[in-house]
Amino acid sequence: MLSLVWALGVAPATVQAQTRYRTTRPENFRQQPGPDQKLLGSVYPGTEFTAGDPRDGWVDATLLGWIWSQSVGQTTRDSFDLVVSARGGENLRAQPNGTVMARLANGFLLHEVQRQGGWIQVRRTGWIWAKELQRVDDGDTTAASPRPPDRA
């Protein structure tokens, strides 16, 4: 099961208050709720993550995934541990060298969870527009695997 945990640096109050969602199309991941807020990255269709209840059309989503260690640098900015330093951004994966769940922009701030070889498990909370999200029931075994959008 793929689980995204996108974090604004503010952890959700409780796990029980969280709902699982799946993206049905590419979705923007923003620092704050609102279409004019800073874009942090893109979440690919089929990616699952936990989030709070929708507020004004937005959910605060928490992402947990893996990033290649050579694509990040150390930071202490805004209480984060890491920053995406790859010029064109970097992929966030379900596991080391696994399925791509999202594309993170250069400058994206992250919390480090653990390291494994050349990979770092990271966490971040942010905001996703709720309209194109699908709730995932605990018993749902038909979860789609995330995949990058088709390129023209």
Side-chain angles (χ1 to χ4, degrees):
M1 175 192 321
L2 297 175
S3 184
L4 280 193
V5 191
W6 293 93
L8 262 178
V10 178
T14 64
V15 173
Q16 292 79 12
Q18 298 291 292
T19 301
R20 285 185 2 171
Y21 292 94
R22 178 185 304 127
T23 54
T24 60
R25 62 184 206 106
E27 288 295 332
N28 290 328
F29 182 71
R30 297 192 180 274
Q31 187 172 14
Q32 297 290 330
D36 57 343
Q37 298 299 311
K38 183 177 180 179
L39 180 63
L40 300 175
S42 298
V43 181
Y44 294 143
T47 297
E48 291 185 17
F49 59 91
T50 57
D53 291 329
R55 291 190 309 245
D56 298 325
W58 295 86
V59 295
D60 60 333
T62 303
L63 173 74
L64 180 67
W66 294 85
I67 193 165
W68 181 239
S69 63
Q70 299 299 313
S71 299
V72 295
Q74 297 291 317
T75 190
T76 56
R77 194 171 72 190
D78 299 332
S79 301
F80 289 93
D81 306 312
L82 301 170
V83 59
V84 174
S85 57
R87 176 174 261 167
E90 185 56 86
N91 292 326
L92 184 72
R93 297 176 180 271
Q95 63 242 12
N97 207 29
T99 304
V100 177
M101 303 185 305
R103 183 75 179 178
L104 309 179
N106 175 278
F108 190 102
L109 298 170
L110 298 159
H111 292 286
E112 181 175 333
V113 176
Q114 67 174 316
R115 290 179 183 249
Q116 181 178 319
W119 295 88
I120 304 173
Q121 187 178 38
V122 294
R123 179 184 68 238
R124 177 71 193 251
T125 298
W127 296 85
I128 297 177
W129 180 241
K131 184 177 181 180
E132 301 295 333
L133 301 179
Q134 179 180 59
R135 285 188 108 144
V136 178
D137 295 332
D138 288 333
D140 184 358
T141 59
T142 61
S145 295
R147 64 178 180 77
D150 295 331
R151 298 195 188 256

